Amino acid sequence: VSFIICTCIGELGPAMRYCGNNPNTLTVLTLQSVSAYCGLQCYLAFVKAHGGVAGVILANGRKVITIIVSFLVFSKPCRTSHMIGLGLIFVGVYLGVLAKRAAKKRARKLLKQQESKPVPPAPPSPAMIPTPMSPNTKRDQLV
């Protein structure tokens, strides 16, 4: 699809010339594509093993780390609002972890309660319930 769009709007020719003049471009694009694919596969395996909530927490944690590294590497002023926002992110992640643990604990407790309760016997079916007979009723009259 991208190839067709680039051809229709006339960007394919300049892009090919650029790659021809800069051979490292294809190498960088290939490495970026391969690393993105590997990262996506790792993320999907993590979600499969630990669940969607843990996957979202992991993705958000990666973004937070990227922002922190950005502040450390590039000279940006770190203001109080940045610290408050970072603190709120950590509090949100922490509350998400606590909520997940509490839900698991409630589920285990409920399961344990259900296992410890004896199973009541099933009520008898209406066909099995005896009907009262009067002393004057003869067996032949019932059939």
Side-chain angles (χ1 to χ4, degrees), residues 16-98:
M16 297 298 278
R17 280 191 295 279
Y18 181 82
C19 289
N21 294 335
N22 302 301
N24 287 338
T25 304
L26 290 177
T27 306
V28 170
L29 288 175
T30 303
L31 289 175
Q32 183 180 8
S33 298
V34 169
S35 65
Y37 176 78
C38 291
L40 181 61
Q41 291 302 315
C42 290
Y43 176 75
L44 292 175
F46 183 85
V47 169
K48 186 176 181 180
H50 301 288
V53 174
V56 170
I57 291 172
L58 177 73
N60 287 334
R62 182 195 59 80
K63 292 173 188 173
V64 168
I65 291 172
T66 301
I67 292 169
I68 291 172
V69 169
S70 163
F71 274 96
L72 295 175
V73 172
F74 304 108
S75 59
K76 294 182 181 182
C78 187
R79 298 194 170 93
T80 307
S81 60
H82 293 118
M83 288 302 173
I84 291 172
L86 185 62
L88 289 174
I89 289 171
F90 281 122
V91 167
V93 170
Y94 180 71
L95 290 176
V97 170
L98 285 182

